[in-house]
Amino acid sequence: MQFASRLDNVETSAIRELFKLLGKPGIISFAGGFPDSAMFDVEGLKEASQKALTEEPGGALQYGATEGYEPLRSQLSSFMKTKGVDVDPSGLIVTTGSQQALDLLGKTMISPGDKVIVEGPTFLATIQCFRLYGAQLISAPIDANGVKTDELEKLIAEHKPKFVYLIPTFGNPSGAMLTLERRKKVLELAVKYQTLVVEDDPYGDLYFGEAPPPSILALSKDVPGSRELLAHCGSLSKVLSPGLRIGWMIAPPELLAKATMCKQFSDAHTSTFSQATAAQYLKSGRMPGTLAHVREVYGQRAQAMGAALKRELGDAVSFTQPGGGLFFWARLTGANGKLADANELAKRAIEKLVAFVPGAPFFAEKPDVATLRLSFATADVAKIEEGVKRLGQAL
């Protein structure tokens, strides 16, 4: 068969391939990017779905508007208000997970050969998605405080990208959090160079101690002209349930209209039953309690993983303790002659019945083979300690 040439630019996910190796009995996996299913508020969701079927069964079970189920758009508008963002329900569309929002941005914004700036490293599926539409990806370097805005400015000035894509709050895979000062600088750069900035924010509610700075979108009210140059992608997957497949996108009206048109071609609309369930859940007032619970549990697991990495791997690995999200981003130092290749370590680790994701695939350019991503979300403290111990043995 003759497949579309656009498929020449993408490969299957390295993470999905890794899952084929995870069927061994007794394996401890730090490889996934999933929330822990034990954290799901099953009773709350059951109650919300029953209310959806009782109060408006036609709306929950019938075809719906491509832009989204109106009661959910209203609830999401209120949810964003708690985060300092004033957005009318008509100013957002509901997507099938935030992943679809990224796909819609690719469809609406990228022509073959267009340049797009992403963080190095960044979300693997973003690299694949944007390359599928023919983007030439440019990596902007990051540190523990997020993208280096001075370097970002140089890249914007040189490459004049179609847009800049950032995960400013507890990024995947980096776990980095963009500082308040840098967030404001990003907004100033958007205005100065008239460049669209895409803020992907699936992890912003998963903080462990002090709350992160306001989102770039929330801060845009202080930088005249910046709101018209921002697209913001949100999701309920990491905080409520990925199975609902509920995400949303806030963007300038012209971009939302084009994205809605493309969504019509792709799935007509996000599941109305999922939307009605999510609307009832948000309306119930249970979300703050759910968030408090997951923050506490994930915070304990993150602390356990950080302590175990220091204890078991010592100076053979460097990392910054994450303040939220689901991931540790670490780098093998090669200290004392130890291994500094995460791909090789991953093979040894599987033999010791522990798994993680090597970091190289998360780079659009110049992959760093010494890096690795570890998720603490789905393992309890005892498994984290045992898994990191095995990792130390593999090293």
Side-chain angles (χ1 to χ4, degrees), residues 164-189:
V164 175
Y165 169 83
L166 303 173
I167 313 174
T169 311
F170 315 128
N172 178 3
S174 69
M177 186 173 73
L178 195 64
T179 62
L180 179 62
E181 182 184 0
R182 289 187 184 183
R183 287 170 195 246
K184 291 176 179 175
K185 182 65 176 177
V186 166
L187 288 166
E188 290 165 7
L189 293 177

CSV table of all heavy atoms in Angstrom, one decimal, residues 164-189:
chain,number,residue,atom,x,y,z
A,164,VAL,N,4.7,29.1,19.4
A,164,VAL,CA,5.6,28.5,20.4
A,164,VAL,C,4.7,27.7,21.3
A,164,VAL,O,3.6,28.1,21.8
A,164,VAL,CB,6.2,29.7,21.3
A,164,VAL,CG1,7.0,29.1,22.4
A,164,VAL,CG2,7.1,30.5,20.4
A,165,TYR,N,5.1,26.4,21.6
A,165,TYR,CA,4.4,25.5,22.4
A,165,TYR,C,5.1,25.3,23.7
A,165,TYR,O,6.3,24.9,23.8
A,165,TYR,CB,4.2,24.2,21.7
A,165,TYR,CG,3.7,23.1,22.6
A,165,TYR,CD1,2.3,23.0,22.8
A,165,TYR,CD2,4.5,22.1,23.2
A,165,TYR,CE1,1.8,21.9,23.6
A,165,TYR,CE2,4.0,21.1,24.0
A,165,TYR,CZ,2.6,21.0,24.2
A,165,TYR,OH,2.2,20.0,25.0
A,166,LEU,N,4.4,25.5,24.9
A,166,LEU,CA,5.1,25.4,26.2
A,166,LEU,C,4.1,24.6,27.1
A,166,LEU,O,2.9,24.7,27.1
A,166,LEU,CB,5.3,26.8,26.8
A,166,LEU,CG,6.2,27.8,26.0
A,166,LEU,CD1,6.1,29.2,26.7
A,166,LEU,CD2,7.6,27.3,25.9
A,167,ILE,N,4.8,23.9,28.1
A,167,ILE,CA,4.1,23.3,29.2
A,167,ILE,C,4.7,23.9,30.4
A,167,ILE,O,5.6,23.4,31.0
A,167,ILE,CB,4.2,21.7,29.3
A,167,ILE,CG1,4.0,21.1,27.9
A,167,ILE,CG2,3.3,21.1,30.3
A,167,ILE,CD1,4.3,19.6,27.9
A,168,PRO,N,4.2,25.1,30.8
A,168,PRO,CA,4.9,25.9,31.8
A,168,PRO,C,4.8,25.4,33.3
A,168,PRO,O,5.7,25.8,34.1
A,168,PRO,CB,4.3,27.3,31.7
A,168,PRO,CG,3.0,27.1,31.1
A,168,PRO,CD,3.0,25.8,30.3
A,169,THR,N,3.8,24.5,33.6
A,169,THR,CA,3.6,24.1,34.9
A,169,THR,C,3.8,22.6,35.1
A,169,THR,O,2.9,21.9,34.6
A,169,THR,CB,2.2,24.6,35.4
A,169,THR,OG1,2.1,26.0,35.1
A,169,THR,CG2,2.1,24.5,36.9
A,170,PHE,N,4.9,22.2,35.7
A,170,PHE,CA,5.2,20.8,35.9
A,170,PHE,C,5.2,20.0,34.6
A,170,PHE,O,4.5,19.0,34.4
A,170,PHE,CB,4.2,20.2,37.0
A,170,PHE,CG,4.0,21.0,38.2
A,170,PHE,CD1,2.7,21.3,38.6
A,170,PHE,CD2,5.0,21.5,38.9
A,170,PHE,CE1,2.4,22.1,39.7
A,170,PHE,CE2,4.8,22.3,40.0
A,170,PHE,CZ,3.5,22.6,40.4
A,171,GLY,N,6.0,20.5,33.7
A,171,GLY,CA,6.0,19.9,32.4
A,171,GLY,C,6.3,18.4,32.3
A,171,GLY,O,6.9,17.8,33.1
A,172,ASN,N,5.8,17.9,31.2
A,172,ASN,CA,6.0,16.5,30.8
A,172,ASN,C,7.0,16.5,29.7
A,172,ASN,O,6.7,17.0,28.6
A,172,ASN,CB,4.7,15.8,30.4
A,172,ASN,CG,4.9,14.4,30.0
A,172,ASN,OD1,6.0,13.8,30.0
A,172,ASN,ND2,3.8,13.8,29.5
A,173,PRO,N,8.2,16.0,29.9
A,173,PRO,CA,8.7,15.1,31.0
A,173,PRO,C,9.5,15.8,32.1
A,173,PRO,O,9.8,15.2,33.1
A,173,PRO,CB,9.7,14.2,30.3
A,173,PRO,CG,10.3,15.1,29.3
A,173,PRO,CD,9.2,16.0,28.8
A,174,SER,N,9.7,17.1,31.9
A,174,SER,CA,10.7,17.8,32.7
A,174,SER,C,10.3,18.0,34.2
A,174,SER,O,11.2,18.2,35.0
A,174,SER,CB,11.1,19.1,32.1
A,174,SER,OG,10.0,20.0,32.2
A,175,GLY,N,9.0,18.1,34.5
A,175,GLY,CA,8.6,18.5,35.8
A,175,GLY,C,8.9,19.9,36.2
A,175,GLY,O,8.6,20.4,37.3
A,176,ALA,N,9.5,20.7,35.2
A,176,ALA,CA,9.9,22.1,35.5
A,176,ALA,C,8.7,23.0,35.6
A,176,ALA,O,7.6,22.8,35.1
A,176,ALA,CB,10.8,22.6,34.3
A,177,MET,N,8.9,24.1,36.4
A,177,MET,CA,7.8,25.1,36.6
A,177,MET,C,8.4,26.4,36.2
A,177,MET,O,9.3,26.9,36.8
A,177,MET,CB,7.3,25.1,38.1
A,177,MET,CG,6.2,26.0,38.2
A,177,MET,SD,5.5,26.0,39.9
A,177,MET,CE,6.7,26.8,40.8
A,178,LEU,N,7.8,27.0,35.2
A,178,LEU,CA,8.2,28.3,34.7
A,178,LEU,C,7.9,29.4,35.8
A,178,LEU,O,6.8,29.5,36.4
A,178,LEU,CB,7.4,28.7,33.4
A,178,LEU,CG,7.9,29.8,32.6
A,178,LEU,CD1,9.3,29.5,32.0
A,178,LEU,CD2,6.9,30.1,31.4
A,179,THR,N,8.9,30.2,36.1
A,179,THR,CA,8.8,31.2,37.1
A,179,THR,C,7.8,32.3,36.7
A,179,THR,O,7.6,32.5,35.5
A,179,THR,CB,10.2,31.9,37.4
A,179,THR,OG1,10.6,32.5,36.2
A,179,THR,CG2,11.2,30.8,37.9
A,180,LEU,N,7.3,33.1,37.7
A,180,LEU,CA,6.4,34.2,37.4
A,180,LEU,C,7.1,35.2,36.5
A,180,LEU,O,6.5,35.7,35.5
A,180,LEU,CB,6.0,34.9,38.7
A,180,LEU,CG,5.1,36.1,38.6
A,180,LEU,CD1,3.8,35.7,38.0
A,180,LEU,CD2,4.9,36.7,40.0
A,181,GLU,N,8.4,35.5,36.7
A,181,GLU,CA,9.1,36.5,35.9
A,181,GLU,C,9.2,36.0,34.4
A,181,GLU,O,8.9,36.8,33.5
A,181,GLU,CB,10.5,36.7,36.5
A,181,GLU,CG,11.3,37.7,35.7
A,181,GLU,CD,12.8,37.8,36.3
A,181,GLU,OE1,13.1,37.1,37.2
A,181,GLU,OE2,13.5,38.6,35.7
A,182,ARG,N,9.5,34.7,34.3
A,182,ARG,CA,9.6,34.2,32.9
A,182,ARG,C,8.2,34.1,32.2
A,182,ARG,O,8.1,34.3,31.0
A,182,ARG,CB,10.3,32.8,32.9
A,182,ARG,CG,11.7,32.9,33.3
A,182,ARG,CD,12.4,31.5,33.1
A,182,ARG,NE,13.8,31.5,33.5
A,182,ARG,CZ,14.6,30.4,33.4
A,182,ARG,NH1,14.1,29.3,32.9
A,182,ARG,NH2,15.8,30.5,33.8
A,183,ARG,N,7.2,33.8,33.0
A,183,ARG,CA,5.8,33.8,32.4
A,183,ARG,C,5.5,35.2,31.8
A,183,ARG,O,4.9,35.3,30.7
A,183,ARG,CB,4.8,33.4,33.4
A,183,ARG,CG,4.8,31.9,33.8
A,183,ARG,CD,4.0,31.6,35.0
A,183,ARG,NE,4.4,30.3,35.5
A,183,ARG,CZ,3.6,29.2,35.5
A,183,ARG,NH1,2.4,29.2,35.0
A,183,ARG,NH2,4.1,28.0,35.9
A,184,LYS,N,5.8,36.2,32.6
A,184,LYS,CA,5.5,37.6,32.1
A,184,LYS,C,6.4,37.9,30.8
A,184,LYS,O,5.9,38.5,29.9
A,184,LYS,CB,5.8,38.6,33.2
A,184,LYS,CG,4.8,38.5,34.3
A,184,LYS,CD,5.2,39.5,35.5
A,184,LYS,CE,4.1,39.4,36.6
A,184,LYS,NZ,4.5,40.3,37.7
A,185,LYS,N,7.6,37.4,30.8
A,185,LYS,CA,8.5,37.6,29.7
A,185,LYS,C,7.9,36.9,28.4
A,185,LYS,O,8.0,37.5,27.3
A,185,LYS,CB,9.9,37.1,30.0
A,185,LYS,CG,10.9,37.3,28.9
A,185,LYS,CD,11.2,38.8,28.7
A,185,LYS,CE,12.3,39.0,27.6
A,185,LYS,NZ,12.5,40.4,27.3
A,186,VAL,N,7.4,35.7,28.6
A,186,VAL,CA,6.8,35.0,27.5
A,186,VAL,C,5.7,35.9,26.9
A,186,VAL,O,5.6,36.0,25.6
A,186,VAL,CB,6.3,33.6,27.9
A,186,VAL,CG1,5.3,33.0,26.8
A,186,VAL,CG2,7.4,32.7,28.2
A,187,LEU,N,4.8,36.4,27.7
A,187,LEU,CA,3.7,37.3,27.2
A,187,LEU,C,4.3,38.5,26.5
A,187,LEU,O,3.8,38.9,25.4
A,187,LEU,CB,2.9,37.7,28.4
A,187,LEU,CG,2.0,36.7,29.0
A,187,LEU,CD1,1.4,37.1,30.3
A,187,LEU,CD2,0.8,36.3,28.0
A,188,GLU,N,5.3,39.1,27.0
A,188,GLU,CA,6.0,40.3,26.3
A,188,GLU,C,6.5,39.9,25.0
A,188,GLU,O,6.4,40.6,24.0
A,188,GLU,CB,7.1,40.9,27.2
A,188,GLU,CG,6.5,41.5,28.5
A,188,GLU,CD,7.6,41.8,29.5
A,188,GLU,OE1,8.8,41.6,29.3
A,188,GLU,OE2,7.2,42.2,30.7
A,189,LEU,N,7.1,38.7,24.9
A,189,LEU,CA,7.7,38.2,23.6
A,189,LEU,C,6.6,38.0,22.6
A,189,LEU,O,6.7,38.3,21.4
A,189,LEU,CB,8.5,36.9,23.9
A,189,LEU,CG,9.8,37.0,24.7
A,189,LEU,CD1,10.4,35.7,24.9
A,189,LEU,CD2,10.8,38.0,24.0
